[in-house]
Short mmCIF file of all heavy atoms in Angstrom, two decimals:
data_model
loop_
_atom_site.label_atom_id
_atom_site.label_comp_id
_atom_site.label_asym_id
_atom_site.label_seq_id
_atom_site.Cartn_x
_atom_site.Cartn_y
_atom_site.Cartn_z
N GLY U 132 7.61 -1.69 -20.25
CA GLY U 132 6.95 -2.97 -20.61
C GLY U 132 6.55 -2.99 -22.07
O GLY U 132 6.75 -3.95 -22.76
N HIS U 133 5.86 -1.92 -22.48
CA HIS U 133 5.56 -1.71 -23.91
C HIS U 133 6.79 -1.20 -24.58
O HIS U 133 7.15 -1.63 -25.71
CB HIS U 133 4.37 -0.77 -24.03
CG HIS U 133 4.01 -0.45 -25.46
ND1 HIS U 133 3.51 -1.35 -26.34
CD2 HIS U 133 4.06 0.72 -26.14
CE1 HIS U 133 3.32 -0.79 -27.53
NE2 HIS U 133 3.59 0.50 -27.43
N THR U 134 7.47 -0.23 -23.94
CA THR U 134 8.79 0.23 -24.38
C THR U 134 9.66 0.43 -23.09
O THR U 134 9.16 0.39 -21.99
CB THR U 134 8.70 1.59 -25.09
OG1 THR U 134 8.14 2.56 -24.17
CG2 THR U 134 7.86 1.49 -26.34
N VAL U 135 11.00 0.64 -23.32
CA VAL U 135 11.91 0.68 -22.17
C VAL U 135 11.69 1.92 -21.29
O VAL U 135 11.96 1.88 -20.10
CB VAL U 135 13.38 0.67 -22.61
CG1 VAL U 135 13.75 -0.69 -23.17
CG2 VAL U 135 13.71 1.75 -23.59
N GLY U 136 11.19 2.97 -21.90
CA GLY U 136 11.05 4.22 -21.09
C GLY U 136 9.61 4.66 -21.04
O GLY U 136 9.33 5.90 -20.89
N GLY U 137 8.69 3.77 -21.13
CA GLY U 137 7.29 4.14 -21.11
C GLY U 137 6.94 4.92 -19.85
O GLY U 137 7.39 4.59 -18.75
N THR U 138 6.21 5.99 -20.02
CA THR U 138 5.88 6.90 -18.91
C THR U 138 4.39 7.23 -18.94
O THR U 138 3.85 7.57 -19.98
CB THR U 138 6.70 8.20 -19.02
OG1 THR U 138 8.08 7.82 -19.02
CG2 THR U 138 6.40 9.15 -17.87
N CYS U 139 3.73 7.04 -17.78
CA CYS U 139 2.39 7.55 -17.65
C CYS U 139 2.44 8.93 -16.90
O CYS U 139 3.41 9.18 -16.18
CB CYS U 139 1.54 6.56 -16.80
SG CYS U 139 1.23 5.01 -17.68
N TYR U 140 1.44 9.73 -17.13
CA TYR U 140 1.39 11.04 -16.44
C TYR U 140 0.16 11.10 -15.55
O TYR U 140 -0.98 10.97 -16.05
CB TYR U 140 1.38 12.15 -17.45
CG TYR U 140 2.74 12.18 -18.22
CD1 TYR U 140 2.82 11.58 -19.47
CD2 TYR U 140 3.86 12.74 -17.66
CE1 TYR U 140 4.06 11.57 -20.15
CE2 TYR U 140 5.06 12.73 -18.30
CZ TYR U 140 5.20 12.13 -19.56
OH TYR U 140 6.39 12.11 -20.24
N LEU U 141 0.40 11.14 -14.23
CA LEU U 141 -0.69 11.08 -13.26
C LEU U 141 -1.07 12.47 -12.81
O LEU U 141 -0.19 13.25 -12.40
CB LEU U 141 -0.20 10.24 -12.06
CG LEU U 141 -1.17 10.12 -10.87
CD1 LEU U 141 -2.42 9.35 -11.26
CD2 LEU U 141 -0.47 9.43 -9.69
N ALA U 142 -2.33 12.78 -12.86
CA ALA U 142 -2.86 14.01 -12.30
C ALA U 142 -3.80 13.63 -11.13
O ALA U 142 -4.11 12.46 -10.94
CB ALA U 142 -3.63 14.81 -13.36
N ASP U 143 -4.20 14.63 -10.38
CA ASP U 143 -5.13 14.36 -9.28
C ASP U 143 -6.54 14.04 -9.89
O ASP U 143 -7.24 14.96 -10.27
CB ASP U 143 -5.19 15.62 -8.40
CG ASP U 143 -5.99 15.38 -7.13
OD1 ASP U 143 -6.45 14.21 -6.93
OD2 ASP U 143 -6.19 16.30 -6.33
N GLY U 144 -6.81 12.76 -10.04
CA GLY U 144 -8.14 12.38 -10.60
C GLY U 144 -8.09 11.66 -11.94
O GLY U 144 -9.06 11.06 -12.36
N TYR U 145 -6.97 11.76 -12.63
CA TYR U 145 -6.89 11.03 -13.90
C TYR U 145 -5.44 10.63 -14.19
O TYR U 145 -4.50 11.13 -13.57
CB TYR U 145 -7.47 11.81 -15.06
CG TYR U 145 -6.78 13.10 -15.45
CD1 TYR U 145 -5.73 13.16 -16.31
CD2 TYR U 145 -7.25 14.33 -14.95
CE1 TYR U 145 -5.10 14.30 -16.67
CE2 TYR U 145 -6.66 15.54 -15.32
CZ TYR U 145 -5.58 15.50 -16.19
OH TYR U 145 -4.99 16.70 -16.56
N VAL U 146 -5.28 9.69 -15.13
CA VAL U 146 -3.94 9.26 -15.52
C VAL U 146 -3.91 9.06 -17.01
O VAL U 146 -4.82 8.50 -17.64
CB VAL U 146 -3.49 7.96 -14.75
CG1 VAL U 146 -4.45 6.80 -15.02
CG2 VAL U 146 -2.05 7.61 -15.07
N ILE U 147 -2.84 9.58 -17.65
CA ILE U 147 -2.60 9.44 -19.11
C ILE U 147 -1.77 8.16 -19.24
O ILE U 147 -0.63 8.09 -18.70
CB ILE U 147 -1.80 10.62 -19.63
CG1 ILE U 147 -2.46 11.96 -19.29
CG2 ILE U 147 -1.50 10.44 -21.11
CD1 ILE U 147 -3.59 12.36 -20.13
N THR U 148 -2.28 7.13 -19.91
CA THR U 148 -1.61 5.81 -19.82
C THR U 148 -0.86 5.39 -21.11
O THR U 148 -0.28 4.32 -21.13
CB THR U 148 -2.64 4.70 -19.44
OG1 THR U 148 -3.69 4.72 -20.44
CG2 THR U 148 -3.21 4.96 -18.09
N GLY U 149 -0.87 6.22 -22.17
CA GLY U 149 -0.10 5.83 -23.34
C GLY U 149 -0.53 4.48 -23.85
O GLY U 149 -1.70 4.16 -23.90
N ASP U 150 0.47 3.66 -24.28
CA ASP U 150 0.15 2.33 -24.75
C ASP U 150 0.42 1.30 -23.67
O ASP U 150 0.64 0.10 -23.98
CB ASP U 150 1.03 2.00 -25.97
CG ASP U 150 0.54 2.78 -27.23
OD1 ASP U 150 -0.41 3.54 -27.11
OD2 ASP U 150 1.14 2.52 -28.30
N VAL U 151 0.38 1.68 -22.41
CA VAL U 151 0.47 0.73 -21.31
C VAL U 151 -0.91 0.13 -21.05
O VAL U 151 -1.14 -1.08 -21.20
CB VAL U 151 1.05 1.38 -20.02
CG1 VAL U 151 1.10 0.37 -18.85
CG2 VAL U 151 2.45 1.91 -20.30
N LEU U 152 -1.88 0.98 -20.73
CA LEU U 152 -3.26 0.49 -20.44
C LEU U 152 -4.20 1.13 -21.40
O LEU U 152 -4.23 2.39 -21.58
CB LEU U 152 -3.61 0.94 -18.96
CG LEU U 152 -5.01 0.58 -18.52
CD1 LEU U 152 -5.26 -0.95 -18.50
CD2 LEU U 152 -5.24 1.16 -17.11
N PHE U 153 -4.99 0.27 -22.07
CA PHE U 153 -6.08 0.76 -22.94
C PHE U 153 -7.41 0.45 -22.24
O PHE U 153 -7.44 -0.34 -21.30
CB PHE U 153 -6.06 -0.01 -24.28
CG PHE U 153 -4.83 0.23 -25.11
CD1 PHE U 153 -4.12 -0.88 -25.61
CD2 PHE U 153 -4.33 1.50 -25.31
CE1 PHE U 153 -2.97 -0.66 -26.36
CE2 PHE U 153 -3.19 1.69 -26.10
CZ PHE U 153 -2.52 0.61 -26.60
N VAL U 154 -8.47 1.04 -22.73
CA VAL U 154 -9.80 0.63 -22.25
C VAL U 154 -10.02 -0.82 -22.73
O VAL U 154 -10.10 -1.09 -23.93
CB VAL U 154 -10.90 1.57 -22.79
CG1 VAL U 154 -12.29 1.06 -22.41
CG2 VAL U 154 -10.69 3.00 -22.31
N GLY U 155 -10.06 -1.72 -21.78
CA GLY U 155 -10.26 -3.13 -22.09
C GLY U 155 -9.02 -3.88 -22.64
O GLY U 155 -9.18 -4.99 -23.09
N GLY U 156 -7.88 -3.23 -22.61
CA GLY U 156 -6.72 -3.93 -23.19
C GLY U 156 -5.39 -3.37 -22.60
O GLY U 156 -5.42 -2.53 -21.67
N CYS U 157 -4.29 -3.85 -23.13
CA CYS U 157 -2.98 -3.26 -22.76
C CYS U 157 -2.08 -3.35 -23.96
O CYS U 157 -2.35 -4.04 -24.92
CB CYS U 157 -2.38 -3.95 -21.54
SG CYS U 157 -1.65 -5.54 -21.84
N GLY U 158 -0.96 -2.63 -23.88
CA GLY U 158 -0.05 -2.59 -25.01
C GLY U 158 0.69 -3.91 -25.23
O GLY U 158 0.80 -4.72 -24.34
N ARG U 159 1.18 -4.10 -26.46
CA ARG U 159 1.95 -5.27 -26.81
C ARG U 159 3.30 -5.22 -26.13
O ARG U 159 3.82 -4.16 -25.85
CB ARG U 159 2.08 -5.35 -28.32
CG ARG U 159 0.79 -5.67 -29.01
CD ARG U 159 0.86 -5.52 -30.50
NE ARG U 159 1.93 -6.34 -31.08
CZ ARG U 159 1.95 -6.74 -32.34
NH1 ARG U 159 1.00 -6.34 -33.17
NH2 ARG U 159 2.93 -7.48 -32.82
N THR U 160 3.90 -6.39 -25.95
CA THR U 160 5.22 -6.44 -25.32
C THR U 160 6.24 -7.08 -26.21
O THR U 160 7.37 -7.33 -25.83
CB THR U 160 5.19 -7.20 -23.97
OG1 THR U 160 4.69 -8.52 -24.25
CG2 THR U 160 4.25 -6.51 -23.01
N ASP U 161 5.88 -7.25 -27.48
CA ASP U 161 6.76 -8.00 -28.38
C ASP U 161 7.49 -7.11 -29.37
O ASP U 161 8.18 -7.56 -30.27
CB ASP U 161 6.01 -9.11 -29.18
CG ASP U 161 4.85 -8.50 -30.00
OD1 ASP U 161 4.26 -7.48 -29.54
OD2 ASP U 161 4.55 -9.02 -31.10
N PHE U 162 7.37 -5.78 -29.21
CA PHE U 162 8.15 -4.85 -30.03
C PHE U 162 9.55 -4.73 -29.32
O PHE U 162 9.75 -5.07 -28.19
CB PHE U 162 7.52 -3.49 -30.10
CG PHE U 162 6.18 -3.49 -30.77
CD1 PHE U 162 5.09 -2.90 -30.18
CD2 PHE U 162 6.00 -4.09 -32.06
CE1 PHE U 162 3.85 -2.86 -30.84
CE2 PHE U 162 4.77 -4.08 -32.67
CZ PHE U 162 3.70 -3.47 -32.07
N ALA U 163 10.51 -4.08 -30.06
CA ALA U 163 11.84 -3.83 -29.47
C ALA U 163 11.71 -3.07 -28.16
O ALA U 163 10.99 -2.08 -28.09
CB ALA U 163 12.69 -3.01 -30.48
N GLY U 164 12.39 -3.55 -27.12
CA GLY U 164 12.32 -2.91 -25.82
C GLY U 164 11.13 -3.32 -24.99
O GLY U 164 11.04 -2.89 -23.82
N GLY U 165 10.24 -4.13 -25.52
CA GLY U 165 9.13 -4.61 -24.76
C GLY U 165 9.52 -5.68 -23.78
O GLY U 165 10.54 -6.37 -23.96
N ASP U 166 8.82 -5.86 -22.68
CA ASP U 166 9.14 -6.86 -21.66
C ASP U 166 7.85 -7.16 -20.88
O ASP U 166 7.30 -6.29 -20.23
CB ASP U 166 10.20 -6.27 -20.72
CG ASP U 166 10.66 -7.27 -19.65
OD1 ASP U 166 9.81 -7.68 -18.85
OD2 ASP U 166 11.85 -7.64 -19.71
N THR U 167 7.43 -8.40 -20.99
CA THR U 167 6.15 -8.76 -20.40
C THR U 167 6.11 -8.66 -18.88
O THR U 167 5.11 -8.19 -18.28
CB THR U 167 5.73 -10.17 -20.86
OG1 THR U 167 5.74 -10.24 -22.30
CG2 THR U 167 4.39 -10.60 -20.35
N ALA U 168 7.18 -9.04 -18.24
CA ALA U 168 7.24 -8.94 -16.76
C ALA U 168 7.18 -7.51 -16.31
O ALA U 168 6.49 -7.13 -15.37
CB ALA U 168 8.50 -9.65 -16.24
N GLN U 169 7.91 -6.64 -17.03
CA GLN U 169 7.85 -5.20 -16.70
C GLN U 169 6.45 -4.63 -16.92
O GLN U 169 5.95 -3.86 -16.13
CB GLN U 169 8.85 -4.41 -17.52
CG GLN U 169 10.30 -4.61 -17.09
CD GLN U 169 11.23 -3.71 -17.89
OE1 GLN U 169 10.90 -3.19 -18.96
NE2 GLN U 169 12.44 -3.55 -17.37
N MET U 170 5.82 -5.09 -17.98
CA MET U 170 4.44 -4.63 -18.29
C MET U 170 3.50 -5.02 -17.18
O MET U 170 2.68 -4.24 -16.73
CB MET U 170 3.98 -5.22 -19.61
CG MET U 170 2.62 -4.78 -20.02
SD MET U 170 2.50 -3.01 -20.20
CE MET U 170 1.92 -2.88 -21.86
N TRP U 171 3.67 -6.24 -16.68
CA TRP U 171 2.84 -6.71 -15.57
C TRP U 171 3.03 -5.79 -14.38
O TRP U 171 2.04 -5.35 -13.74
CB TRP U 171 3.23 -8.16 -15.23
CG TRP U 171 2.72 -8.71 -13.99
CD1 TRP U 171 3.43 -8.96 -12.82
CD2 TRP U 171 1.38 -9.11 -13.68
NE1 TRP U 171 2.62 -9.49 -11.86
CE2 TRP U 171 1.33 -9.61 -12.37
CE3 TRP U 171 0.16 -9.14 -14.42
CZ2 TRP U 171 0.18 -10.10 -11.73
CZ3 TRP U 171 -0.98 -9.60 -13.84
CH2 TRP U 171 -0.95 -10.07 -12.52
N ASN U 172 4.31 -5.50 -14.00
CA ASN U 172 4.52 -4.62 -12.88
C ASN U 172 3.92 -3.24 -13.08
O ASN U 172 3.37 -2.64 -12.18
CB ASN U 172 6.04 -4.49 -12.60
CG ASN U 172 6.63 -5.76 -12.05
OD1 ASN U 172 5.92 -6.56 -11.44
ND2 ASN U 172 7.92 -6.01 -12.25
N SER U 173 4.07 -2.70 -14.30
CA SER U 173 3.51 -1.38 -14.58
C SER U 173 2.00 -1.35 -14.47
O SER U 173 1.41 -0.43 -13.89
CB SER U 173 3.93 -0.93 -16.00
OG SER U 173 5.33 -0.74 -16.08
N LEU U 174 1.35 -2.41 -14.94
CA LEU U 174 -0.10 -2.50 -14.85
C LEU U 174 -0.54 -2.66 -13.38
O LEU U 174 -1.54 -2.09 -12.99
CB LEU U 174 -0.63 -3.69 -15.70
CG LEU U 174 -0.57 -3.47 -17.20
CD1 LEU U 174 -0.91 -4.82 -17.93
CD2 LEU U 174 -1.55 -2.39 -17.66
N GLN U 175 0.23 -3.42 -12.62
CA GLN U 175 -0.10 -3.54 -11.20
C GLN U 175 0.00 -2.18 -10.49
O GLN U 175 -0.78 -1.86 -9.62
CB GLN U 175 0.85 -4.54 -10.53
CG GLN U 175 0.70 -5.99 -11.00
CD GLN U 175 -0.72 -6.49 -10.86
OE1 GLN U 175 -1.27 -6.48 -9.73
NE2 GLN U 175 -1.38 -6.84 -11.92
N ARG U 176 0.97 -1.42 -10.88
CA ARG U 176 1.14 -0.10 -10.28
C ARG U 176 -0.08 0.77 -10.62
O ARG U 176 -0.60 1.46 -9.74
CB ARG U 176 2.42 0.55 -10.81
CG ARG U 176 2.72 1.86 -10.16
CD ARG U 176 4.05 2.40 -10.65
NE ARG U 176 4.40 3.60 -9.91
CZ ARG U 176 5.49 4.29 -10.14
NH1 ARG U 176 6.34 3.93 -11.12
NH2 ARG U 176 5.77 5.41 -9.44
N LEU U 177 -0.48 0.76 -11.87
CA LEU U 177 -1.74 1.54 -12.26
C LEU U 177 -2.94 1.03 -11.54
O LEU U 177 -3.83 1.79 -11.10
CB LEU U 177 -1.92 1.50 -13.77
CG LEU U 177 -0.82 2.15 -14.63
CD1 LEU U 177 -1.12 1.97 -16.11
CD2 LEU U 177 -0.69 3.62 -14.27
N ALA U 178 -2.98 -0.30 -11.34
CA ALA U 178 -4.16 -0.93 -10.68
C ALA U 178 -4.28 -0.48 -9.24
O ALA U 178 -5.39 -0.54 -8.65
CB ALA U 178 -4.07 -2.43 -10.75
N ARG U 179 -3.19 -0.01 -8.63
CA ARG U 179 -3.22 0.42 -7.23
C ARG U 179 -3.65 1.89 -7.07
O ARG U 179 -3.72 2.37 -5.96
CB ARG U 179 -1.85 0.16 -6.58
CG ARG U 179 -1.55 -1.27 -6.28
CD ARG U 179 -0.32 -1.42 -5.40
NE ARG U 179 0.90 -0.96 -6.07
CZ ARG U 179 1.71 -1.71 -6.76
NH1 ARG U 179 1.49 -2.98 -6.92
NH2 ARG U 179 2.80 -1.19 -7.31
N LEU U 180 -3.79 2.58 -8.21
CA LEU U 180 -4.24 3.97 -8.09
C LEU U 180 -5.67 3.98 -7.55
O LEU U 180 -6.37 2.98 -7.61
CB LEU U 180 -4.18 4.65 -9.47
CG LEU U 180 -2.83 4.86 -10.09
CD1 LEU U 180 -2.92 5.33 -11.53
CD2 LEU U 180 -2.01 5.84 -9.24
N PRO U 181 -6.14 5.12 -7.00
CA PRO U 181 -7.50 5.19 -6.51
C PRO U 181 -8.50 4.78 -7.59
O PRO U 181 -8.33 5.10 -8.77
CB PRO U 181 -7.66 6.66 -6.14
CG PRO U 181 -6.29 7.15 -5.84
CD PRO U 181 -5.40 6.35 -6.75
N GLU U 182 -9.50 3.97 -7.23
CA GLU U 182 -10.35 3.35 -8.21
C GLU U 182 -11.11 4.36 -9.10
O GLU U 182 -11.48 4.04 -10.22
CB GLU U 182 -11.39 2.41 -7.50
CG GLU U 182 -10.74 1.21 -6.87
CD GLU U 182 -11.68 0.07 -6.71
OE1 GLU U 182 -12.92 0.36 -6.69
OE2 GLU U 182 -11.24 -1.09 -6.66
N GLU U 183 -11.38 5.53 -8.58
CA GLU U 183 -12.12 6.52 -9.37
C GLU U 183 -11.24 7.24 -10.37
O GLU U 183 -11.72 8.04 -11.17
CB GLU U 183 -12.80 7.52 -8.43
CG GLU U 183 -11.84 8.46 -7.63
CD GLU U 183 -11.33 7.82 -6.34
OE1 GLU U 183 -11.44 6.59 -6.18
OE2 GLU U 183 -10.70 8.57 -5.55
N THR U 184 -9.91 6.97 -10.35
CA THR U 184 -8.99 7.67 -11.29
C THR U 184 -9.45 7.38 -12.76
O THR U 184 -9.63 6.26 -13.16
CB THR U 184 -7.56 7.10 -11.10
OG1 THR U 184 -7.19 7.28 -9.73
CG2 THR U 184 -6.59 7.86 -11.98
N ARG U 185 -9.63 8.49 -13.51
CA ARG U 185 -10.03 8.31 -14.92
C ARG U 185 -8.83 7.96 -15.78
O ARG U 185 -7.75 8.51 -15.56
CB ARG U 185 -10.74 9.58 -15.41
CG ARG U 185 -11.31 9.45 -16.79
CD ARG U 185 -12.58 10.25 -16.99
NE ARG U 185 -13.71 9.72 -16.22
CZ ARG U 185 -14.49 8.68 -16.55
NH1 ARG U 185 -14.28 8.08 -17.70
NH2 ARG U 185 -15.47 8.29 -15.76
#
Side-chain angles (χ1 to χ4, degrees):
H133 177 65
T134 60
V135 290
T138 302
C139 292
Y140 295 97
L141 176 67
D143 188 3
Y145 65 85
V146 61
I147 308 280
T148 57
D150 287 3
V151 178
L152 177 63
F153 299 130
V154 175
C157 77
R159 292 170 57 158
T160 59
D161 60 326
F162 297 131
D166 184 297
T167 302
Q169 286 185 343
M170 181 61 123
W171 168 253
N172 289 335
S173 293
L174 288 171
Q175 293 303 302
R176 186 177 186 182
L177 295 177
R179 287 190 296 267
L180 293 172
E182 292 204 338
E183 66 278 12
T184 304
R185 187 147 292 278

